[in-house]
Amino acid sequence: MKGLLEWNKNLKLLVLLWIAFYVYAITVGFLVQFLILPVMFPSAHWKDGLMVGGDWIQFHTEGLEIAKKVEEEGWSEWSLKHPVSGQAMSGIAGFFYALTGIHKSWVLLFYNAFLHATAGIVLFLILRLLGISQKLALIFSIPFVVFPTSLTWVSQIHKDGLYILGMYLTFLSIALAFSKNWRLNLVSLMAGSLGALLFFTVGRQYAIKITQYFYALFVLTALGLALFNLLRLKKEKVLNYGKALIISPGCS
């Protein structure tokens, strides 16, 4: 009973933190797009809440192309990556533009805030797993959430939100892979797989070229360790499941 109450308490804290991080990110995103850029710094404002001279202009323009094709010819025309540039963020922008029917970059602010808030929570969890107290883990997580450099991936159409979340999920996977709790080993497998998917699918291309072999070894080691611990701790159940799969065809 005590363990259940503790788990509920921790879950409530994580939910409250996520909501706080999300509200901050969405608020800042709207302020940048509707006040800071067009009113306070108009010379740095391209249009539609986007800054001058960034990749987000390309993602926005290509996203509009994809959205128009979807609206004219159907969802079969949608693709994650733009057919010419191969940019995944263009496909993501096009998805939201076509889904909502609103061809403005502010539509992605909710998506950006979700990624940023989730990355902040994952960072908090990693710090807690490293033995850092709850108070210090929160103090160390807040700068990531509110630091000015995050304004680009919170308020613009940017790859970094997905890239950072993918990396943090990988670190979380490694931290959990050493656990002797089979449930945490299972979470490790899921976090590592999702982190790798985000990293290799929509991560920064130059970062992938530089670190792909090291990162792949990193992820495979973590997943292998988590799988080994999962099988070791739940060996009897795994064997029973295996026997059931073998026996059931013969009984049918």
mmCIF file of all heavy atoms in Angstrom, residues 131-173:
data_model
loop_
_atom_site.group_PDB
_atom_site.id
_atom_site.type_symbol
_atom_site.label_atom_id
_atom_site.label_comp_id
_atom_site.label_asym_id
_atom_site.label_seq_id
_atom_site.Cartn_x
_atom_site.Cartn_y
_atom_site.Cartn_z
ATOM 1 N N GLY A 131 20.373 9.410 -8.866
ATOM 2 C CA GLY A 131 20.471 9.584 -7.417
ATOM 3 C C GLY A 131 20.378 11.012 -6.943
ATOM 4 O O GLY A 131 20.594 11.295 -5.758
ATOM 5 N N ILE A 132 20.071 11.923 -7.855
ATOM 6 C CA ILE A 132 19.932 13.335 -7.489
ATOM 7 C C ILE A 132 18.578 13.543 -6.811
ATOM 8 O O ILE A 132 17.566 12.976 -7.231
ATOM 9 C CB ILE A 132 20.074 14.226 -8.728
ATOM 10 C CG1 ILE A 132 21.478 14.063 -9.327
ATOM 11 C CG2 ILE A 132 19.804 15.686 -8.405
ATOM 12 C CD1 ILE A 132 21.692 14.791 -10.622
ATOM 13 N N SER A 133 18.560 14.337 -5.779
ATOM 14 C CA SER A 133 17.321 14.570 -5.037
ATOM 15 C C SER A 133 16.270 15.219 -5.927
ATOM 16 O O SER A 133 16.583 15.838 -6.942
ATOM 17 C CB SER A 133 17.591 15.465 -3.821
ATOM 18 O OG SER A 133 17.905 16.784 -4.228
ATOM 19 N N GLN A 134 15.026 15.079 -5.529
ATOM 20 C CA GLN A 134 13.914 15.616 -6.309
ATOM 21 C C GLN A 134 14.030 17.120 -6.494
ATOM 22 O O GLN A 134 13.803 17.648 -7.584
ATOM 23 C CB GLN A 134 12.603 15.260 -5.611
ATOM 24 C CG GLN A 134 11.358 15.700 -6.347
ATOM 25 C CD GLN A 134 10.097 15.179 -5.694
ATOM 26 O OE1 GLN A 134 9.798 13.994 -5.766
ATOM 27 N NE2 GLN A 134 9.350 16.055 -5.034
ATOM 28 N N LYS A 135 14.413 17.812 -5.437
ATOM 29 C CA LYS A 135 14.539 19.266 -5.485
ATOM 30 C C LYS A 135 15.633 19.689 -6.454
ATOM 31 O O LYS A 135 15.436 20.579 -7.295
ATOM 32 C CB LYS A 135 14.832 19.806 -4.086
ATOM 33 C CG LYS A 135 14.919 21.321 -4.020
ATOM 34 C CD LYS A 135 15.166 21.790 -2.592
ATOM 35 C CE LYS A 135 15.258 23.311 -2.510
ATOM 36 N NZ LYS A 135 15.486 23.781 -1.128
ATOM 37 N N LEU A 136 16.812 19.049 -6.373
ATOM 38 C CA LEU A 136 17.920 19.400 -7.255
ATOM 39 C C LEU A 136 17.626 19.002 -8.700
ATOM 40 O O LEU A 136 17.999 19.721 -9.636
ATOM 41 C CB LEU A 136 19.211 18.733 -6.779
ATOM 42 C CG LEU A 136 19.869 19.346 -5.541
ATOM 43 C CD1 LEU A 136 21.106 18.542 -5.134
ATOM 44 C CD2 LEU A 136 20.256 20.806 -5.797
ATOM 45 N N ALA A 137 16.974 17.862 -8.881
ATOM 46 C CA ALA A 137 16.628 17.424 -10.231
ATOM 47 C C ALA A 137 15.714 18.445 -10.900
ATOM 48 O O ALA A 137 15.859 18.748 -12.088
ATOM 49 C CB ALA A 137 15.958 16.057 -10.180
ATOM 50 N N LEU A 138 14.797 18.995 -10.130
ATOM 51 C CA LEU A 138 13.897 20.020 -10.654
ATOM 52 C C LEU A 138 14.666 21.292 -10.982
ATOM 53 O O LEU A 138 14.463 21.903 -12.038
ATOM 54 C CB LEU A 138 12.798 20.310 -9.639
ATOM 55 C CG LEU A 138 11.777 21.385 -10.026
ATOM 56 C CD1 LEU A 138 11.065 21.004 -11.318
ATOM 57 C CD2 LEU A 138 10.761 21.594 -8.910
ATOM 58 N N ILE A 139 15.582 21.678 -10.080
ATOM 59 C CA ILE A 139 16.391 22.886 -10.290
ATOM 60 C C ILE A 139 17.249 22.751 -11.550
ATOM 61 O O ILE A 139 17.396 23.701 -12.326
ATOM 62 C CB ILE A 139 17.284 23.151 -9.063
ATOM 63 C CG1 ILE A 139 16.415 23.574 -7.870
ATOM 64 C CG2 ILE A 139 18.330 24.222 -9.368
ATOM 65 C CD1 ILE A 139 17.176 23.692 -6.567
ATOM 66 N N PHE A 140 17.804 21.551 -11.793
ATOM 67 C CA PHE A 140 18.648 21.330 -12.966
ATOM 68 C C PHE A 140 17.824 21.177 -14.251
ATOM 69 O O PHE A 140 18.347 21.419 -15.347
ATOM 70 C CB PHE A 140 19.520 20.089 -12.774
ATOM 71 C CG PHE A 140 20.577 20.245 -11.713
ATOM 72 C CD1 PHE A 140 20.928 19.184 -10.890
ATOM 73 C CD2 PHE A 140 21.226 21.462 -11.528
ATOM 74 C CE1 PHE A 140 21.905 19.331 -9.913
ATOM 75 C CE2 PHE A 140 22.194 21.619 -10.551
ATOM 76 C CZ PHE A 140 22.543 20.549 -9.739
ATOM 77 N N SER A 141 16.563 20.770 -14.130
ATOM 78 C CA SER A 141 15.721 20.575 -15.318
ATOM 79 C C SER A 141 15.147 21.894 -15.833
ATOM 80 O O SER A 141 14.973 22.069 -17.043
ATOM 81 C CB SER A 141 14.565 19.613 -15.003
ATOM 82 O OG SER A 141 15.039 18.355 -14.610
ATOM 83 N N ILE A 142 14.852 22.805 -14.925
ATOM 84 C CA ILE A 142 14.220 24.068 -15.308
ATOM 85 C C ILE A 142 15.055 24.888 -16.298
ATOM 86 O O ILE A 142 14.496 25.432 -17.266
ATOM 87 C CB ILE A 142 13.867 24.889 -14.050
ATOM 88 C CG1 ILE A 142 12.691 24.235 -13.320
ATOM 89 C CG2 ILE A 142 13.516 26.331 -14.415
ATOM 90 C CD1 ILE A 142 12.309 24.901 -12.007
ATOM 91 N N PRO A 143 16.387 24.994 -16.118
ATOM 92 C CA PRO A 143 17.164 25.762 -17.106
ATOM 93 C C PRO A 143 17.014 25.237 -18.529
ATOM 94 O O PRO A 143 16.978 26.024 -19.480
ATOM 95 C CB PRO A 143 18.602 25.596 -16.603
ATOM 96 C CG PRO A 143 18.457 25.399 -15.140
ATOM 97 C CD PRO A 143 17.210 24.591 -14.976
ATOM 98 N N PHE A 144 16.938 23.911 -18.697
ATOM 99 C CA PHE A 144 16.733 23.366 -20.040
ATOM 100 C C PHE A 144 15.415 23.871 -20.626
ATOM 101 O O PHE A 144 15.334 24.225 -21.804
ATOM 102 C CB PHE A 144 16.722 21.835 -20.003
ATOM 103 C CG PHE A 144 16.089 21.211 -21.216
ATOM 104 C CD1 PHE A 144 16.767 21.184 -22.424
ATOM 105 C CD2 PHE A 144 14.801 20.684 -21.165
ATOM 106 C CE1 PHE A 144 16.173 20.641 -23.557
ATOM 107 C CE2 PHE A 144 14.205 20.135 -22.288
ATOM 108 C CZ PHE A 144 14.896 20.109 -23.488
ATOM 109 N N VAL A 145 14.385 23.901 -19.805
ATOM 110 C CA VAL A 145 13.056 24.287 -20.278
ATOM 111 C C VAL A 145 12.994 25.772 -20.624
ATOM 112 O O VAL A 145 12.384 26.156 -21.631
ATOM 113 C CB VAL A 145 11.987 23.927 -19.223
ATOM 114 C CG1 VAL A 145 10.612 24.419 -19.663
ATOM 115 C CG2 VAL A 145 11.957 22.418 -18.987
ATOM 116 N N VAL A 146 13.615 26.614 -19.799
ATOM 117 C CA VAL A 146 13.447 28.069 -19.955
ATOM 118 C C VAL A 146 14.638 28.773 -20.592
ATOM 119 O O VAL A 146 14.557 29.967 -20.863
ATOM 120 C CB VAL A 146 13.153 28.723 -18.579
ATOM 121 C CG1 VAL A 146 11.943 28.088 -17.932
ATOM 122 C CG2 VAL A 146 14.366 28.616 -17.648
ATOM 123 N N PHE A 147 15.737 28.067 -20.852
ATOM 124 C CA PHE A 147 16.916 28.735 -21.405
ATOM 125 C C PHE A 147 16.584 29.353 -22.765
ATOM 126 O O PHE A 147 15.870 28.750 -23.568
ATOM 127 C CB PHE A 147 18.066 27.735 -21.558
ATOM 128 C CG PHE A 147 19.414 28.365 -21.419
ATOM 129 C CD1 PHE A 147 19.809 28.930 -20.213
ATOM 130 C CD2 PHE A 147 20.298 28.410 -22.489
ATOM 131 C CE1 PHE A 147 21.056 29.522 -20.079
ATOM 132 C CE2 PHE A 147 21.541 29.000 -22.360
ATOM 133 C CZ PHE A 147 21.925 29.557 -21.156
ATOM 134 N N PRO A 148 17.069 30.561 -23.059
ATOM 135 C CA PRO A 148 16.711 31.253 -24.303
ATOM 136 C C PRO A 148 16.983 30.472 -25.586
ATOM 137 O O PRO A 148 16.281 30.674 -26.584
ATOM 138 C CB PRO A 148 17.584 32.523 -24.245
ATOM 139 C CG PRO A 148 17.781 32.763 -22.787
ATOM 140 C CD PRO A 148 17.884 31.406 -22.169
ATOM 141 N N THR A 149 17.987 29.585 -25.582
ATOM 142 C CA THR A 149 18.285 28.828 -26.799
ATOM 143 C C THR A 149 17.110 27.940 -27.206
ATOM 144 O O THR A 149 16.980 27.591 -28.388
ATOM 145 C CB THR A 149 19.530 27.943 -26.604
ATOM 146 O OG1 THR A 149 19.374 27.166 -25.404
ATOM 147 C CG2 THR A 149 20.785 28.784 -26.499
ATOM 148 N N SER A 150 16.249 27.592 -26.257
ATOM 149 C CA SER A 150 15.112 26.726 -26.592
ATOM 150 C C SER A 150 14.038 27.473 -27.378
ATOM 151 O O SER A 150 13.128 26.843 -27.925
ATOM 152 C CB SER A 150 14.488 26.159 -25.312
ATOM 153 O OG SER A 150 13.861 27.169 -24.542
ATOM 154 N N LEU A 151 14.145 28.792 -27.456
ATOM 155 C CA LEU A 151 13.135 29.574 -28.169
ATOM 156 C C LEU A 151 13.026 29.159 -29.634
ATOM 157 O O LEU A 151 11.951 29.233 -30.217
ATOM 158 C CB LEU A 151 13.457 31.069 -28.076
ATOM 159 C CG LEU A 151 13.267 31.721 -26.697
ATOM 160 C CD1 LEU A 151 13.695 33.177 -26.741
ATOM 161 C CD2 LEU A 151 11.825 31.586 -26.220
ATOM 162 N N THR A 152 14.150 28.735 -30.240
ATOM 163 C CA THR A 152 14.112 28.375 -31.658
ATOM 164 C C THR A 152 13.238 27.146 -31.902
ATOM 165 O O THR A 152 12.418 27.134 -32.811
ATOM 166 C CB THR A 152 15.529 28.115 -32.197
ATOM 167 O OG1 THR A 152 16.194 27.159 -31.361
ATOM 168 C CG2 THR A 152 16.333 29.395 -32.247
ATOM 169 N N TRP A 153 13.418 26.090 -31.072
ATOM 170 C CA TRP A 153 12.610 24.895 -31.342
ATOM 171 C C TRP A 153 11.249 24.937 -30.657
ATOM 172 O O TRP A 153 10.399 24.101 -30.923
ATOM 173 C CB TRP A 153 13.368 23.620 -30.975
ATOM 174 C CG TRP A 153 13.725 23.420 -29.530
ATOM 175 C CD1 TRP A 153 12.909 22.945 -28.540
ATOM 176 C CD2 TRP A 153 14.995 23.621 -28.919
ATOM 177 N NE1 TRP A 153 13.600 22.850 -27.356
ATOM 178 C CE2 TRP A 153 14.898 23.256 -27.559
ATOM 179 C CE3 TRP A 153 16.238 24.072 -29.385
ATOM 180 C CZ2 TRP A 153 15.963 23.339 -26.661
ATOM 181 C CZ3 TRP A 153 17.303 24.144 -28.493
ATOM 182 C CH2 TRP A 153 17.148 23.793 -27.154
ATOM 183 N N VAL A 154 11.023 25.932 -29.791
ATOM 184 C CA VAL A 154 9.700 26.084 -29.174
ATOM 185 C C VAL A 154 8.791 26.953 -30.045
ATOM 186 O O VAL A 154 7.603 26.687 -30.177
ATOM 187 C CB VAL A 154 9.827 26.702 -27.759
ATOM 188 C CG1 VAL A 154 8.471 27.168 -27.248
ATOM 189 C CG2 VAL A 154 10.411 25.686 -26.789
ATOM 190 N N SER A 155 9.362 27.974 -30.670
ATOM 191 C CA SER A 155 8.530 28.938 -31.404
ATOM 192 C C SER A 155 8.613 28.809 -32.922
ATOM 193 O O SER A 155 7.787 29.390 -33.629
ATOM 194 C CB SER A 155 8.937 30.365 -31.019
ATOM 195 O OG SER A 155 10.250 30.651 -31.476
ATOM 196 N N GLN A 156 9.595 28.058 -33.433
ATOM 197 C CA GLN A 156 9.757 27.934 -34.873
ATOM 198 C C GLN A 156 9.525 26.477 -35.315
ATOM 199 O O GLN A 156 9.294 25.601 -34.480
ATOM 200 C CB GLN A 156 11.166 28.379 -35.285
ATOM 201 C CG GLN A 156 11.531 29.777 -34.831
ATOM 202 C CD GLN A 156 10.691 30.866 -35.480
ATOM 203 O OE1 GLN A 156 10.797 31.136 -36.669
ATOM 204 N NE2 GLN A 156 9.844 31.500 -34.680
ATOM 205 N N ILE A 157 9.585 26.222 -36.612
ATOM 206 C CA ILE A 157 9.473 24.851 -37.128
ATOM 207 C C ILE A 157 10.888 24.288 -37.151
ATOM 208 O O ILE A 157 11.676 24.614 -38.030
ATOM 209 C CB ILE A 157 8.843 24.841 -38.535
ATOM 210 C CG1 ILE A 157 7.532 25.609 -38.536
ATOM 211 C CG2 ILE A 157 8.623 23.413 -39.014
ATOM 212 C CD1 ILE A 157 6.918 25.789 -39.916
ATOM 213 N N HIS A 158 11.202 23.447 -36.205
ATOM 214 C CA HIS A 158 12.601 23.074 -35.975
ATOM 215 C C HIS A 158 12.746 21.586 -35.673
ATOM 216 O O HIS A 158 11.847 20.971 -35.096
ATOM 217 C CB HIS A 158 13.147 23.890 -34.797
ATOM 218 C CG HIS A 158 14.593 24.214 -34.897
ATOM 219 N ND1 HIS A 158 15.575 23.266 -34.721
ATOM 220 C CD2 HIS A 158 15.235 25.369 -35.153
ATOM 221 C CE1 HIS A 158 16.769 23.836 -34.861
ATOM 222 N NE2 HIS A 158 16.582 25.120 -35.130
ATOM 223 N N LYS A 159 13.914 21.049 -36.038
ATOM 224 C CA LYS A 159 14.203 19.632 -35.785
ATOM 225 C C LYS A 159 14.633 19.362 -34.350
ATOM 226 O O LYS A 159 14.501 18.237 -33.868
ATOM 227 C CB LYS A 159 15.342 19.162 -36.701
ATOM 228 C CG LYS A 159 15.011 19.085 -38.159
ATOM 229 C CD LYS A 159 16.238 18.585 -38.919
ATOM 230 C CE LYS A 159 15.951 18.477 -40.407
ATOM 231 N NZ LYS A 159 17.134 17.975 -41.138
ATOM 232 N N ASP A 160 15.158 20.361 -33.695
ATOM 233 C CA ASP A 160 15.807 20.117 -32.404
ATOM 234 C C ASP A 160 14.886 19.532 -31.342
ATOM 235 O O ASP A 160 15.338 18.779 -30.475
ATOM 236 C CB ASP A 160 16.446 21.406 -31.882
ATOM 237 C CG ASP A 160 17.792 21.679 -32.536
ATOM 238 O OD1 ASP A 160 18.170 20.894 -33.426
ATOM 239 O OD2 ASP A 160 18.445 22.673 -32.166
ATOM 240 N N GLY A 161 13.603 19.879 -31.374
ATOM 241 C CA GLY A 161 12.680 19.335 -30.387
ATOM 242 C C GLY A 161 12.640 17.817 -30.430
ATOM 243 O O GLY A 161 12.735 17.140 -29.396
ATOM 244 N N LEU A 162 12.525 17.254 -31.635
ATOM 245 C CA LEU A 162 12.510 15.802 -31.805
ATOM 246 C C LEU A 162 13.877 15.197 -31.527
ATOM 247 O O LEU A 162 13.999 14.133 -30.912
ATOM 248 C CB LEU A 162 12.070 15.447 -33.228
ATOM 249 C CG LEU A 162 10.569 15.450 -33.490
ATOM 250 C CD1 LEU A 162 10.293 15.359 -34.978
ATOM 251 C CD2 LEU A 162 9.899 14.299 -32.768
ATOM 252 N N TYR A 163 14.906 15.872 -32.000
ATOM 253 C CA TYR A 163 16.270 15.373 -31.837
ATOM 254 C C TYR A 163 16.637 15.271 -30.355
ATOM 255 O O TYR A 163 17.154 14.242 -29.894
ATOM 256 C CB TYR A 163 17.229 16.319 -32.554
ATOM 257 C CG TYR A 163 18.690 15.985 -32.398
ATOM 258 C CD1 TYR A 163 19.240 14.900 -33.071
ATOM 259 C CD2 TYR A 163 19.522 16.760 -31.600
ATOM 260 C CE1 TYR A 163 20.580 14.593 -32.926
ATOM 261 C CE2 TYR A 163 20.857 16.465 -31.455
ATOM 262 C CZ TYR A 163 21.392 15.378 -32.124
ATOM 263 O OH TYR A 163 22.716 15.083 -31.981
ATOM 264 N N ILE A 164 16.359 16.301 -29.596
ATOM 265 C CA ILE A 164 16.689 16.316 -28.169
ATOM 266 C C ILE A 164 15.871 15.280 -27.403
ATOM 267 O O ILE A 164 16.401 14.560 -26.555
ATOM 268 C CB ILE A 164 16.469 17.728 -27.586
ATOM 269 C CG1 ILE A 164 17.511 18.684 -28.163
ATOM 270 C CG2 ILE A 164 16.561 17.710 -26.057
ATOM 271 C CD1 ILE A 164 17.251 20.137 -27.844
ATOM 272 N N LEU A 165 14.579 15.184 -27.704
ATOM 273 C CA LEU A 165 13.745 14.186 -27.038
ATOM 274 C C LEU A 165 14.255 12.783 -27.345
ATOM 275 O O LEU A 165 14.294 11.922 -26.455
ATOM 276 C CB LEU A 165 12.292 14.329 -27.488
ATOM 277 C CG LEU A 165 11.304 13.317 -26.895
ATOM 278 C CD1 LEU A 165 11.314 13.370 -25.371
ATOM 279 C CD2 LEU A 165 9.895 13.556 -27.431
ATOM 280 N N GLY A 166 14.667 12.539 -28.586
ATOM 281 C CA GLY A 166 15.212 11.241 -28.953
ATOM 282 C C GLY A 166 16.472 10.902 -28.175
ATOM 283 O O GLY A 166 16.652 9.771 -27.696
ATOM 284 N N MET A 167 17.358 11.885 -28.019
ATOM 285 C CA MET A 167 18.591 11.665 -27.265
ATOM 286 C C MET A 167 18.294 11.419 -25.783
ATOM 287 O O MET A 167 18.868 10.514 -25.165
ATOM 288 C CB MET A 167 19.518 12.880 -27.410
ATOM 289 C CG MET A 167 20.094 13.047 -28.800
ATOM 290 S SD MET A 167 21.151 11.663 -29.307
ATOM 291 C CE MET A 167 22.512 11.834 -28.163
ATOM 292 N N TYR A 168 17.400 12.196 -25.219
ATOM 293 C CA TYR A 168 17.061 12.029 -23.798
ATOM 294 C C TYR A 168 16.407 10.666 -23.540
ATOM 295 O O TYR A 168 16.662 10.028 -22.513
ATOM 296 C CB TYR A 168 16.128 13.151 -23.345
ATOM 297 C CG TYR A 168 16.833 14.448 -23.030
ATOM 298 C CD1 TYR A 168 18.216 14.560 -23.157
ATOM 299 C CD2 TYR A 168 16.133 15.569 -22.602
ATOM 300 C CE1 TYR A 168 18.865 15.755 -22.876
ATOM 301 C CE2 TYR A 168 16.780 16.770 -22.309
ATOM 302 C CZ TYR A 168 18.139 16.852 -22.450
ATOM 303 O OH TYR A 168 18.777 18.028 -22.158
ATOM 304 N N LEU A 169 15.565 10.215 -24.466
ATOM 305 C CA LEU A 169 14.952 8.898 -24.313
ATOM 306 C C LEU A 169 16.006 7.795 -24.362
ATOM 307 O O LEU A 169 15.896 6.781 -23.660
ATOM 308 C CB LEU A 169 13.907 8.672 -25.411
ATOM 309 C CG LEU A 169 12.572 9.392 -25.234
ATOM 310 C CD1 LEU A 169 11.717 9.264 -26.485
ATOM 311 C CD2 LEU A 169 11.815 8.852 -24.023
ATOM 312 N N THR A 170 17.032 7.998 -25.169
ATOM 313 C CA THR A 170 18.121 7.027 -25.236
ATOM 314 C C THR A 170 18.881 6.978 -23.916
ATOM 315 O O THR A 170 19.201 5.895 -23.401
ATOM 316 C CB THR A 170 19.094 7.386 -26.375
ATOM 317 O OG1 THR A 170 18.369 7.460 -27.601
ATOM 318 C CG2 THR A 170 20.191 6.338 -26.499
ATOM 319 N N PHE A 171 19.176 8.148 -23.351
ATOM 320 C CA PHE A 171 19.868 8.196 -22.057
ATOM 321 C C PHE A 171 19.015 7.555 -20.964
ATOM 322 O O PHE A 171 19.540 6.861 -20.084
ATOM 323 C CB PHE A 171 20.192 9.645 -21.691
ATOM 324 C CG PHE A 171 21.151 10.315 -22.617
ATOM 325 C CD1 PHE A 171 21.074 11.685 -22.870
ATOM 326 C CD2 PHE A 171 22.145 9.594 -23.267
ATOM 327 C CE1 PHE A 171 21.964 12.305 -23.731
ATOM 328 C CE2 PHE A 171 23.035 10.208 -24.139
ATOM 329 C CZ PHE A 171 22.943 11.559 -24.363
ATOM 330 N N LEU A 172 17.698 7.798 -21.034
ATOM 331 C CA LEU A 172 16.791 7.184 -20.060
ATOM 332 C C LEU A 172 16.814 5.665 -20.214
ATOM 333 O O LEU A 172 16.802 4.931 -19.211
ATOM 334 C CB LEU A 172 15.369 7.710 -20.268
ATOM 335 C CG LEU A 172 14.289 7.127 -19.352
ATOM 336 C CD1 LEU A 172 14.560 7.503 -17.897
ATOM 337 C CD2 LEU A 172 12.904 7.619 -19.772
ATOM 338 N N SER A 173 16.849 5.205 -21.442
ATOM 339 C CA SER A 173 16.900 3.775 -21.706
ATOM 340 C C SER A 173 18.142 3.143 -21.098
ATOM 341 O O SER A 173 18.081 2.069 -20.486
ATOM 342 C CB SER A 173 16.883 3.527 -23.221
ATOM 343 O OG SER A 173 17.084 2.164 -23.513
#
